[in-house]
Amino acid sequence: MRIVVDLNRCEGYAQCAFLAPDVFSMHGQEALMYDPGPGEERREQVLRAAAACPVQAITVEWDTARRPGGAFTDVR
């Protein structure tokens, strides 16, 4: 799993940090820090965090070795 956050789109609502605190965290009021390659054990948290983002700034992609049919697959 690979996470990409469009930091130009992110407005710091911090829903991701609330739902997946081991992956996303806020530094100050506007700076988002995140782990771009969390382990599979964080899958459910990451998917919920991406779905909860009010501005849809989070994209979750899957490695082609685990997912058949081409390049990375966006879950949105």
Side-chain angles (χ1 to χ4, degrees):
M1 170 173 45
R2 183 174 80 157
I3 299 172
V4 178
V5 177
D6 183 344
L7 296 174
N8 291 317
R9 181 178 251 181
C10 177
E11 294 184 12
Y13 289 105
Q15 294 301 306
C16 57
F18 175 73
L19 293 167
D22 295 333
V23 179
F24 302 94
S25 63
M26 296 300 294
H27 292 270
Q29 292 182 350
E30 296 181 6
L32 176 69
M33 302 294 287
Y34 67 99
D35 177 0
E40 283 296 315
E41 69 276 5
R42 303 281 181 240
R43 179 181 181 157
E44 189 69 29
Q45 289 179 334
V46 168
L47 292 176
R48 287 182 184 179
C53 180
V55 296
Q56 298 181 350
I58 303 169
T59 301
V60 180
E61 300 172 337
W62 306 100
D63 188 337
T64 57
R66 294 186 183 179
R67 278 272 168 101
F72 290 98
T73 303
D74 185 351
V75 297
R76 283 190 283 167

